[in-house]
Amino acid sequence: MRIPILKLNQYLLISIQTELDDQTALQFQEDLLGKIHEEGSNGVVIDLTSVDMIDSFIAKVLGDVVDMSSLMGARVVLTGIRPAVAITLIDMGIKLEGVSTALDLEQGLASLQQELEG
Amino acid sequence: MRIPILKLNQYLLISIQTELDDQTALQFQEDLLGKIHEEGSNGVVIDLTSVDMIDSFIAKVLGDVVDMSSLMGARVVLTGIRPAVAITLIDMGIKLEGVSTALDLEQGLASLQQELEG
């Protein structure tokens, strides 16, 4: 299955509400980069509110997607990381360095707007 | 599978990017009404940009979901109806009467804001 990517003005919004298996995560990576290219988006919010668990592979894919989007000129903000997910990531030594985060979708969008629109 | 429902401020955003089979459509109806109740949302945008085909059952479910949401106090705007979908709906005699529509997600949100925030 594919994760839907919404376009709102120049931004892309993604809410991950499914268990991210390896194949879905890689498909999402490809879809998102394609969509950034296609729509000329300069900002992306990935909302993880509904994600209960992230393993090291998924964390790597998410980190990579942020770096890849950045290379393409799009800023990514991760939002809604749950306590359990934050705990697991740090326990696994995964820091998602250089990745912007925010509490929820609204604040993620606000943070993009502030950064990109000044 | 379930269709993700995003919350943005007091609105709910849904982009349907999968073939809507009967079961998925009914599950979506239930999920959306539950989410309206849970979040106290007063506006919903359902984006159909990626939907290539709608049959009479799906059209009925969509029409019903608009009426049900309206009973609960939430305004629904359908956006991104493709030419082929519009042609099929009218050919089948389905008019989605009383349903607000807009060109895309941005315009759907703008129309909700205009109606609900004055």
Side-chain angles (χ1 to χ4, degrees), chain A residues 33 99 114:
Chain A
L33 299 177
V99 176
Q114 203 171 16

Side-chain angles (χ1 to χ4, degrees), chain A residues 2-21:
Chain A
R2 296 167 101 110
I3 294 169
I5 299 171
L6 282 70
K7 180 180 162 291
L8 185 66
N9 303 319
Q10 79 268 44
Y11 303 127
L12 299 178
L13 309 184
I14 302 100
S15 173
I16 299 181
Q17 300 183 359
T18 177
E19 174 116 21
L20 271 181
D21 59 62

Side-chain angles (χ1 to χ4, degrees), chain A residues 1-10 13-17 35 50 104-106 109, chain B residues 1-10 13-17 35 50 104-106 109:
Chain A
M1 68 146 291
R2 296 167 101 110
I3 294 169
I5 299 171
L6 282 70
K7 180 180 162 291
L8 185 66
N9 303 319
Q10 79 268 44
L13 309 184
I14 302 100
S15 173
I16 299 181
Q17 300 183 359
K35 196 88 173 175
S50 311
D104 56 23
L105 200 57
E106 292 88 350
L109 269 178
Chain B
M1 68 145 291
R2 297 168 100 110
I3 294 170
I5 299 172
L6 282 71
K7 178 179 165 290
L8 186 65
N9 303 319
Q10 77 267 46
L13 309 183
I14 301 99
S15 173
I16 298 181
Q17 299 184 2
K35 195 90 175 174
S50 310
D104 56 23
L105 199 56
E106 291 89 350
L109 269 178

Side-chain angles (χ1 to χ4, degrees), chain A residues 78-109:
Chain A
L78 297 182
T79 64
I81 294 182
R82 281 170 179 266
V85 172
I87 291 168
T88 317
L89 289 176
I90 298 301
D91 277 354
M92 290 193 298
I94 298 164
K95 293 221 176 111
L96 291 175
E97 279 172 79
V99 176
S100 302
T101 52
L103 207 62
D104 56 23
L105 200 57
E106 292 88 350
Q107 299 202 12
L109 269 178

